[in-house]
Amino acid sequence: FMPGKQTGLSAQCWPDRLIGALPNVYLYAANNPSEGALAKRRGAATLVSYLTPALTHSGLYKELVSLQQSIERWQQLGPEQALDRASLTELIIEQARSIDLAVPAHINAASDASDVKATRDTALAAWIEQLQNQLLELEYALIPEGLHVMGQTPTREQRLGTLKVMADAMGLNSREHSALLEALVDGATEAELQSQQNNLKAAAPLSHDKASVPPEAESLRQLVRSNRLLGEDHEMQGLMRALDGRYLQPAPGGDLIRNPEVLPTGRNLHGLDPFRMPSAFAVRDGQRQAEKLLARYQQDHQALPETVAMVLWGTDNLKTEGGPLAQALALMGAAPRFDSYGRLAGAELLPLSTLGRPRIDVVITLSGIFRDLLPMQIRLLAEASFLAASADEPPEQNYLRKHALAYMAEHEGSTLECASLRVFGNTEGAYGANINHLIDSSCWENENELGDAFTQRKGFAYGREGRPVRNTSVLQSALASVSLTYQNLDSVELGVTSIDTYFDTLGGISRAVLQAKHQRDGNAAEAPPVFIGDQTQGDGVVRSLTEQVALETRSRMLNPKWHESMLQHGYEGVRQIEAHLTNTMGWSATTGQVQPWVYQQLAQTFVLDPAMRERMAQLNPTASAKVANRLLEATRRQYWQPDAETMTALLRAGEELEDRLEGIQEGLPA
């Protein structure tokens, strides 16, 4: 990340000048081939891959279990048990409120009128079904279990959890085949498993449940191989081979769940073939995901969005062979064009008759990694934008053309080439919006500073030539028309509150959109809805940011399965908990779409519980004090207003943690 060329470095490029002839052996997460490719290009690195943390289903805990039991009892009661059903209804409402699950106002309205009562009963049944679906989503959400430790192979339970997730990704139902997977991790041979599989096949005709049909032989073989490799330590061997100056085998990077060929880790990650991106599969999947996003927006707003602001990362595109990139093209009604050798050659427009809807205007923000690794794809996106703006189509059927023509009318002398610029990012050699650094250091006064930082850092437009030129005017105009902001979530182990890069990019552009709307419409402008395309399981689902943060908070931070596994890692585990809280506040600062209950429950779990506070302070006094201070900062910035009792307890706990940090203990002289 130093000045100099991105490929073919010379003696004038700082990475080459600094490393000289020094060998560079670099331990790298197997799920991050994009940044690994940069380490190879600019640091002459030999990568030694390591596993991401073991995965498990979140499960339910504490009050969530009680609520689920109440719902199940309620569903078992018939109409003749009206009194018991009414009593249980009140309990469910009370339990839902106690853990900050929304209770619609019309559910509480009791009435003796038969028509009102019937309407309420219908609404109540629908709400309880929705509540149960929420609990199911929480129960089966995938979360990382602790951290990966170099040289330690996953335990039996960790292997079983990972293999269940892999089986689900293969289209199998891990719950239906739990006995088979249990036998697998307990050492059954492939022949023994095949015999068990055949027995299940023989019994299958007796069942009407299609899900009970055993997995195919190839899937079983892949699971057997994965189980064997997960139980072997190849990482330390690979590291020692590299340090001995010996050859290290190449290996693909990406999600273990999607690509079992990532195993064994401990090998030298390689990257991509840019001429084949996006792949045919990615193009089809991108079209599906684009339609899901539009359907979700229509569900909430009863109209199509005119402009979507979308964030593209290099890592996510490498993992999915260009899925998010293809999604951006699909929204515009465009597709990649390949030459007779199958190499990427440019973009082409789909006819409106084929598209069946208007072309959506798409403002694209690139990560620095995407810019470095995928220059051909940048030109592809820029060409697609220009072709859409140039198409002789009605503006009401082509929002990109509509907005480009409006910009030209407002800015005399502007060209269509300029007005259609829609691909923005950092200038060469720069990375990130720096909003994450501002949030972490608390060095900002108001939210406008965050939007300004984004525009300043990401205000470079990339046209069809692929060279960055600062163009704040076109960026501001495009942002002012944005209907929603969006980013894909492709890594099971990383949520939007796990790392600060998500709010730095998606949060940053969301804040910049609001500022652009304020400049155009005044203070009446509303913040754009923020959506996350969670593609970590199945066909994927589009959630609002509020829904995604709530899901991650409940399935991870508030979940004893998650935070206990983190605390087993001592100092680093507490730091991870603090990082999740800081990232959550980053979303409040950039979007304002984090519900106050999130801070209330995090405070009760990690600071206001004396035993947990003491435990965390023993493991990492600095991060523990930072947790308390971050919660207090959230109250100062009006993201959460606790009652007086909670505020007093929080202040007292914060002072206690600060005293511990400074070596002052109660009962001893200062």
Side-chain angles (χ1 to χ4, degrees), residues 1 5-9 15-16 19 24 26 28 32-49 247-253 267-272 373:
F1 299 110
K5 293 187 293 180
Q6 296 304 318
T7 54
L9 275 66
D16 233 27
I19 200 162
N24 182 6
Y26 202 161
Y28 229 92
N32 195 358
S34 63
E35 293 190 33
L38 278 193
K40 285 175 173 288
R41 284 182 178 183
R42 311 197 84 232
T46 294
L47 304 181
V48 181
S49 66
Y247 175 72
L248 204 60
Q249 283 190 336
R267 296 182 292 169
N268 193 350
L269 295 178
H270 59 71
L272 71 153
L373 292 181

Side-chain angles (χ1 to χ4, degrees), residues 267-557:
R267 296 182 292 169
N268 193 350
L269 295 178
H270 59 71
L272 71 153
D273 179 357
F275 290 98
R276 301 291 191 271
M277 183 182 291
S279 68
F281 174 81
V283 169
R284 289 197 302 272
D285 189 58
Q287 291 169 346
R288 287 195 296 268
Q289 301 304 331
E291 294 307 317
K292 281 184 183 176
L293 174 61
L294 296 178
R296 173 60 199 265
Y297 184 84
Q298 282 183 296
Q299 174 188 319
D300 294 350
H301 298 85
Q302 287 72 54
L304 280 174
E306 289 203 5
T307 306
V308 172
M310 188 171 178
V311 176
L312 294 183
W313 285 1
T315 297
D316 295 346
N317 277 279
L318 259 64
K319 286 180 182 177
T320 60
E321 301 175 337
L325 157 70
Q327 189 176 355
L329 291 172
L331 288 167
M332 287 188 273
R337 176 170 47 85
F338 296 91
D339 64 17
S340 58
Y341 295 98
R343 297 174 303 190
L344 183 64
E348 60 184 7
L349 291 184
L350 302 175
L352 284 174
S353 57
T354 302
L355 190 59
R357 58 164 172 80
R359 300 189 195 281
I360 308 299
D361 194 351
V362 185
V363 184
I364 297 161
T365 304
L366 307 174
S367 70
I369 307 295
F370 189 106
R371 173 207 60 209
D372 293 347
L373 292 181
L374 303 170
M376 294 174 61
Q377 283 66 27
I378 292 175
R379 294 194 294 273
L380 166 67
L381 291 165
E383 182 180 355
S385 298
F386 177 75
L387 289 175
S390 304
D392 185 12
E393 296 170 346
E396 64 273 12
Q397 289 296 308
N398 186 334
Y399 297 137
L400 205 158
R401 180 171 175 78
K402 172 185 174 181
H403 299 148
L405 293 177
Y407 180 85
M408 293 173 67
E410 293 174 10
H411 298 80
E412 187 177 348
S414 178
T415 65
L416 189 62
E417 184 88 36
C418 175
S420 64
L421 291 171
R422 290 296 184 272
V423 183
F424 293 88
N426 300 89
T427 189
E428 292 177 351
Y431 299 84
N434 282 356
I435 294 173
N436 51 354
H437 300 307
L438 291 172
I439 296 293
D440 186 59
S441 62
S442 302
C443 292
W444 55 285
E445 293 297 325
N446 62 70
E447 286 80 1
N448 285 337
E449 294 176 39
L450 307 178
D452 291 340
F454 182 90
T455 304
Q456 179 69 23
R457 297 277 294 180
K458 296 285 187 178
F460 291 85
Y462 287 78
R464 289 186 292 167
E465 298 301 316
R467 290 191 294 270
V469 177
R470 180 175 288 284
N471 198 323
T472 307
S473 174
V474 173
L475 177 60
Q476 292 284 0
S477 175
L479 292 179
S481 70
V482 165
S483 307
L484 67 96
T485 60
Y486 176 81
Q487 185 170 359
N488 287 299
L489 180 67
D490 286 301
S491 296
V492 176
E493 65 280 355
L494 294 177
V496 299
T497 58
S498 301
I499 54 176
D500 58 13
T501 325
Y502 277 111
F503 76 76
D504 184 60
T505 52
L506 180 59
I509 198 169
S510 300
R511 175 55 58 179
V513 166
L514 180 58
Q515 286 181 225
K517 288 180 178 292
H518 278 158
Q519 291 177 10
R520 186 190 67 180
D521 304 332
N523 291 331
E526 294 184 358
V530 186
F531 290 104
I532 302 292
D534 183 351
Q535 296 172 26
T536 58
Q537 293 192 71
D539 292 332
V541 61
V542 177
R543 300 190 187 94
S544 70
L545 175 65
T546 300
E547 292 166 349
Q548 186 68 32
V549 170
L551 175 65
E552 291 186 16
T553 301
R554 288 193 168 104
S555 63
R556 301 189 186 210
M557 289 195 74

Side-chain angles (χ1 to χ4, degrees), residues 67 70-71 74 85-110 120 124 127-128 131:
L67 176 58
S70 298
I71 290 174
W74 185 90
R85 200 176 174 100
S87 175
L88 203 48
T89 296
E90 296 306 316
L91 176 60
I92 290 172
I93 291 173
E94 181 183 327
Q95 289 175 322
R97 280 195 183 130
S98 71
I99 52 177
D100 297 290
L101 290 171
V103 180
H106 59 270
I107 296 298
N108 297 319
R120 179 179 183 268
L124 178 64
W127 173 66
I128 288 181
L131 206 56

